[in-house]
Amino acid sequence: MEDNKGLEDYKHLSITSQFAIDMLSLQSVGEVWWHLARNVVSKLGFVDVVIYELNRSTQLLHQVAAFGEKDGQENVVINPIDIPFGRGVVGRVAAEQQTLRIDDTRLYDDYIVDDVVRLSELAVPLIVDGQLIGVIDSEHPDAYFFTDAHIYTLTAIASIASVKVAQKMSVDALQGSIEQF
């Protein structure tokens, strides 16, 4: 049993390390989100993930990348939805800027059904310098699927992705300002 935990820990560390290395070659915010959804979270054994990005003007969280049922290929989310602050698991994570694991969504009154009902949900905020930029949300058909190791790994990956996205947004804003002169 202890050997399996060690292997699982090594796998999660390896996935996190590779993601950090991959960030060096990604050139756009969209590339970061899609790489995170398709190439990182899928390796954790998750069947579903949706990346939400905060729209500061509307204060809504919009689905911008996905793996699983919502992945429409060619970097398109199938039937994207917006979630307001405080609503559902994603909205609560955004409002509180804290990770939230729901072991059985049947027992969570504010569970939002997006495409199909799943019994476990894990959502991690994407934060840089105390500012929310989005949320990583994963659901699984089995109750009690997500573990502490999933939380630690997804939190580390969220930190890496947040820094890369914030840097890219800053560079884009600076380039926009320079082009206006």
Side-chain angles (χ1 to χ4, degrees), residues 81-118:
I81 64 170
D82 293 328
I83 294 182
F85 267 60
R87 286 271 345 265
V89 174
V90 170
R92 182 173 162 194
V93 166
E96 297 175 4
Q97 296 189 8
Q98 296 289 321
T99 296
L100 181 59
R101 173 176 57 192
I102 304 298
D103 291 324
D104 189 338
T105 60
R106 295 171 292 194
L107 305 175
Y108 188 77
D109 291 337
D110 201 20
Y111 175 68
I112 295 174
V113 178
D114 181 358
D115 52 353
V116 297
V117 174
R118 295 183 185 89

Side-chain angles (χ1 to χ4, degrees), residues 4-90:
N4 286 342
K5 183 183 178 332
L7 282 172
E8 194 67 19
D9 289 347
Y10 176 77
K11 175 184 164 189
H12 287 212
L13 181 59
S14 176
I15 291 167
T16 304
S17 298
Q18 186 59 52
F19 180 66
I21 293 166
D22 293 347
M23 288 297 95
L24 299 172
S25 65
L26 301 178
Q27 300 300 312
S28 73
V29 172
E31 286 179 356
V32 172
W33 294 149
W34 283 100
H35 182 75
L36 172 61
R38 288 186 181 139
N39 301 315
V40 178
V41 176
S42 64
K43 291 178 182 174
L44 293 171
F46 296 4
V47 297
D48 161 274
V49 71
V50 177
I51 311 297
Y52 290 82
E53 191 173 83
L54 174 63
N55 180 322
R56 293 208 184 284
S57 62
T58 65
Q59 290 297 292
L60 293 173
L61 295 143
H62 183 70
Q63 296 178 335
V64 294
F67 168 76
E69 296 286 328
K70 304 250 339 166
D71 184 350
Q73 305 304 316
E74 299 187 30
N75 296 349
V76 174
V77 176
I78 297 172
N79 298 321
I81 64 170
D82 293 328
I83 294 182
F85 267 60
R87 286 271 345 265
V89 174
V90 170

